[in-house]
Amino acid sequence: MAAAAGAAKLGAEGDAVAVEVRLPPLSEADPLHAEKKRILENRNLSCEIQIPVTCSAADALKLLDQIIEAARVVYMDELELYFAGDDVGPFSARNELESLNLLFKILKKLQLTSNAAAKKVLQILQDEIVVKLRSVGKSDDARMVVQTQNHDAEDSLLKWGEHLGVKSKLQIAFFQGAGRGMVASESIGGGDIALEIPESLIISDELLCQSEVFLALKGSNNITSETMLLLWSMRERYNLASKFKPYFDTLPANFNTGLSFGIDALAALEGTLLFDEIMQAKQHLRQQYDELFPLLCTNFPEIFRKDVCTWDNFLWACELWYSNSMMIVLSSGKLSTCLVPVAGLLNHSVSPHILNYGRVDEATKSLKFPLSRPCDEGEQCFLSYGKHPGSHLVTFYGFLPRGDNPYDVIPLDLDTSVDDEDGTAQSVTTSQTTHMVRGTWLSRSRGFPTYGLPQPLLSHLRAALGCSIDESTTEADIKENDKVVLETILSIFNPMLEVLPEQDDSNREGASWDVKLSLDYKDLQRKIISSIITSCTSALEIF
């Protein structure tokens, strides 16, 4: 994305009469460029706006709202475009944080070259953006309860890290239902660095070049660097002389992800896509293990000891990398999957404080974690693990996030041989082979023409069922056509709900962690499907 820009509009005497806030232009390399441009035009939004220095605070804030709406469109991803409809946002916490931070940087830059009158208006706008940033995710933060618990190993990790150059404004805490996390040891402002990790402490494939594992396997064409890192981690866990011993000492004996689900937990997932996802992942890992062992133990007995290279230890190493790794651009310019000691203690949230952290600073040779929204002293500081649905988070991380996750979608494989035109313009999203739904409570539009459902899905079904709407369609025909569409949707989702019966809460009492997590996921799926059925039923009752 191009650098943010703005300028002051001067009057006849050279004084600033208006501040021009200018967003970076839409990139033509963006595959969503045409759709974003169409939305901006349809909503009469501009990436440039002039704010008179003499306008009232109320009028300045109205103009700010317009440029925020435009910024939201600029930062929309494919999923947000699919579900947007006529909504003006916020579309997601990620989208909102990206949009507000962009504008804050633009206004801050304008402050440097503005006169007193312009600075006053700019300060009003900056203060409002800070208020908006503080409001993102606040309801989720409040639900986390701190527990008193011994964490000597974690404290030792922090001391080890600080000795080797880690800089932190965070400290460790334990949270009810979430395990370990990190809280701000002081109030940290947006844009400030909460955590800084020297590149020398980052575990990546560049570290392999110094290891026995790499020297033994570097000639093996069928063993990737990612697999070597799994093998290295499995061994290093038991290496008492390891440089990373304080890090490995803080890692749990069991990660409790979906990959460790037992028979009862898997049985509880029958009828869900998550069941298939976990079974396929477990099968893949078992096949990978069988291809490696006992062959490596036979060929390199001193490096790959049989008592260390067990299935349980291999699964532990896989869960470590799935649940704790980060994609980082190292100072060499190489994008690598890495383990980052200390940073791995940060918990995920759909409304994170830390959003962008993927590149080592070439000047300081350190990985910095700047805040995208302020974090007060004593408040848990959240990191984004990525734009993942609950199924992925359960399988590879072992939890469901608090709050509404906009990425919790149910994919639908439909016949896309029909034309999905909606009568306005070709949409990027309507040409895809898979449509999807999510909880209709996330939609702000409950009536015609979407009923809380995604517009691309409805456009597809209307076309497929011969129920397309145009200017000549009468109101009676519209109702009759949409009745057919809504009944079709009910025919898809009613059977889905039938295989997800209501759970007896007594089943949770005394249940193992994996069964409880399976039941929680099933409840989420039932909630999403029920919301779709309720929306369709309510619309049909009006007809």
Side-chain angles (χ1 to χ4, degrees):
M1 183 174 288
K9 183 178 180 181
L10 304 180
E13 298 180 1
D15 295 328
V17 296
V19 173
E20 184 181 75
V21 179
R22 188 163 64 245
L23 300 178
L26 289 174
S27 171
E28 294 191 6
D30 183 351
L32 306 176
H33 173 270
E35 184 71 358
K36 291 179 179 180
K37 183 178 179 182
R38 183 186 69 81
I39 292 175
L40 288 172
E41 290 173 351
N42 285 354
R43 297 181 183 175
N44 199 27
L45 294 173
S46 173
C47 289
E48 298 181 13
I49 197 165
Q50 291 188 358
I51 303 176
V53 297
T54 56
C55 72
S56 66
D59 288 340
L61 294 180
K62 287 180 182 178
L63 292 170
L64 176 65
D65 286 340
Q66 291 178 26
I67 199 71
I68 289 175
E69 287 185 22
R72 288 168 180 162
V73 175
V74 169
Y75 275 109
M76 288 174 91
D77 61 21
E78 188 169 3
L79 184 139
E80 288 158 355
L81 273 169
Y82 185 87
F83 286 101
D86 295 326
D87 190 6
V88 297
F91 302 114
S92 69
R94 179 210 65 83
N95 179 274
E96 193 72 353
L97 290 173
E98 295 276 27
S99 303
L100 293 175
N101 275 281
L102 170 66
L103 285 168
F104 190 82
K105 290 175 183 176
I106 292 174
L107 298 174
K108 190 173 182 179
K109 185 177 180 180
L110 286 172
Q111 281 269 25
L112 300 176
T113 56
S114 298
N115 62 13
K119 284 180 185 291
K120 183 178 179 180
V121 174
L122 289 168
Q123 192 61 54
I124 291 172
L125 303 181
Q126 284 181 286
D127 291 345
E128 179 65 14
I129 288 178
V130 171
V131 170
K132 290 181 180 294
L133 284 170
R134 283 190 169 279
S135 70
V136 177
K138 270 298 180 184
S139 59
D140 295 339
D141 299 347
R143 288 193 282 176
M144 305 300 286
V145 180
V146 178
Q147 292 180 314
T148 302
Q149 192 165 333
N150 181 286
H151 41 77
D152 291 341
E154 287 79 8
D155 288 339
S156 296
L157 174 66
L158 288 182
K159 290 178 182 177
W160 168 77
E162 289 171 1
H163 177 70
L164 294 176
V166 171
K167 299 177 183 178
S168 178
K169 296 179 181 179
L170 306 171
Q171 60 189 31
I172 297 166
F174 283 77
F175 294 88
Q176 182 178 343
R180 297 179 303 189
M182 301 195 80
V183 300
S185 55
E186 59 185 82
S187 293
I188 314 171
D192 292 345
I193 307 299
L195 185 64
E196 186 171 348
I197 310 291
E199 188 175 22
S200 58
L201 292 187
I202 296 175
I203 299 171
S204 70
D205 53 5
E206 292 188 358
L207 182 72
L208 281 174
C209 300
Q210 310 161 27
S211 71
E212 291 179 322
V213 171
F214 176 78
L215 295 175
L217 302 178
K218 63 180 180 179
S220 303
N221 295 327
N222 60 336
I223 299 182
T224 64
S225 59
E226 288 80 5
T227 301
M228 289 187 198
L229 281 169
L230 289 175
L231 299 173
W232 176 87
S233 302
M234 191 167 58
R235 295 178 69 251
E236 201 72 4
R237 179 187 184 189
Y238 296 101
N239 180 5
L240 298 180
S242 171
K243 168 187 174 181
F244 295 97
K245 186 177 185 301
Y247 170 63
F248 281 96
D249 285 347
T250 62
L251 296 174
N254 300 292
F255 282 99
N256 290 351
T257 73
L259 298 174
S260 295
F261 273 14
I263 294 175
D264 290 342
L266 291 171
L269 288 174
E270 283 280 8
T272 69
L273 292 175
L274 179 55
F275 174 83
D276 295 331
E277 186 172 333
I278 290 178
M279 292 302 294
Q280 289 172 11
K282 288 168 76 81
Q283 183 180 4
H284 168 74
L285 294 182
R286 188 74 215 196
Q287 181 180 344
Q288 187 178 12
Y289 176 78
D290 290 341
E291 290 172 353
L292 295 168
F293 302 105
L295 184 61
L296 290 181
C297 296
T298 302
N299 293 343
F300 307 98
E302 294 183 358
I303 298 176
F304 299 106
R305 290 167 28 199
K306 288 184 179 180
D307 62 324
V308 172
C309 299
T310 64
W311 161 249
D312 286 341
N313 284 343
F314 179 77
L315 179 60
W316 180 91
C318 291
E319 288 183 294
L320 164 65
W321 280 87
Y322 281 133
S323 62
N324 280 257
S325 64
M326 302 177 183
M327 293 300 295
I328 304 295
V329 178
L330 302 172
S331 61
S332 63
K334 182 180 180 181
L335 176 64
S336 298
T337 305
C338 307
L339 295 176
V340 186
V342 182
L345 295 169
L346 288 158
N347 285 326
H348 168 79
S349 172
V350 294
S351 306
H353 296 87
I354 301 170
L355 192 62
N356 300 309
Y357 52 87
R359 181 179 292 273
V360 169
D361 186 291
E362 294 185 12
T364 62
K365 292 294 189 290
S366 63
L367 183 64
K368 297 180 180 181
F369 294 80
L371 295 195
S372 292
R373 64 181 177 99
C375 188
D376 295 331
E377 181 179 355
E379 179 184 351
Q380 181 168 190
C381 186
F382 289 103
L383 179 82
S384 171
Y385 291 1
K387 298 182 287 187
H388 300 306
S391 59
H392 182 94
L393 294 170
V394 169
T395 302
F396 299 107
Y397 294 90
F399 72 92
L400 280 172
R402 296 172 181 268
D404 292 327
N405 182 0
Y407 307 105
D408 273 326
V409 301
I410 297 177
L412 300 172
D413 290 322
L414 303 170
D415 178 11
T416 55
S417 60
V418 299
D419 183 6
D420 281 338
E421 291 286 345
D422 61 4
T424 54
Q426 177 62 38
S427 166
V428 147
T429 53
T430 58
S431 62
Q432 58 191 57
T433 57
T434 301
H435 287 276
M436 54 189 144
V437 294
R438 65 182 181 187
T440 57
W441 66 85
L442 294 172
S443 172
R444 293 180 178 84
S445 175
R446 302 300 175 87
F448 175 83
T450 63
Y451 312 103
L453 298 163
Q455 181 68 59
L457 171 64
L458 293 173
S459 295
H460 170 80
L461 290 175
R462 284 170 178 142
L465 297 168
C467 300
S468 298
I469 300 171
D470 56 37
E471 294 179 358
S472 63
T473 309
T474 66
E475 185 176 345
D477 286 339
I478 290 174
K479 289 183 178 181
E480 187 59 34
N481 288 347
D482 274 14
K483 181 180 178 182
V484 174
V485 170
L486 293 170
E487 288 174 343
T488 300
I489 295 173
L490 285 175
S491 72
I492 295 172
F493 287 97
N494 275 325
M496 288 188 185
L497 192 61
E498 290 174 3
V499 298
L500 296 172
E502 288 281 354
Q503 298 292 324
D504 186 347
D505 285 341
S506 63
N507 292 341
R508 283 181 166 79
E509 296 179 12
S512 58
W513 67 269
D514 53 346
V515 171
K516 289 179 180 177
L517 188 51
S518 290
L519 294 176
D520 287 344
Y521 178 79
K522 227 172 175 179
D523 285 345
L524 173 63
Q525 291 297 286
R526 188 183 305 107
K527 181 182 177 183
I528 294 172
I529 294 170
S530 294
S531 74
I532 294 161
I533 292 173
T534 299
S535 293
C536 292
T537 304
S538 299
L540 287 170
E541 288 174 353
I542 296 174
F543 293 163

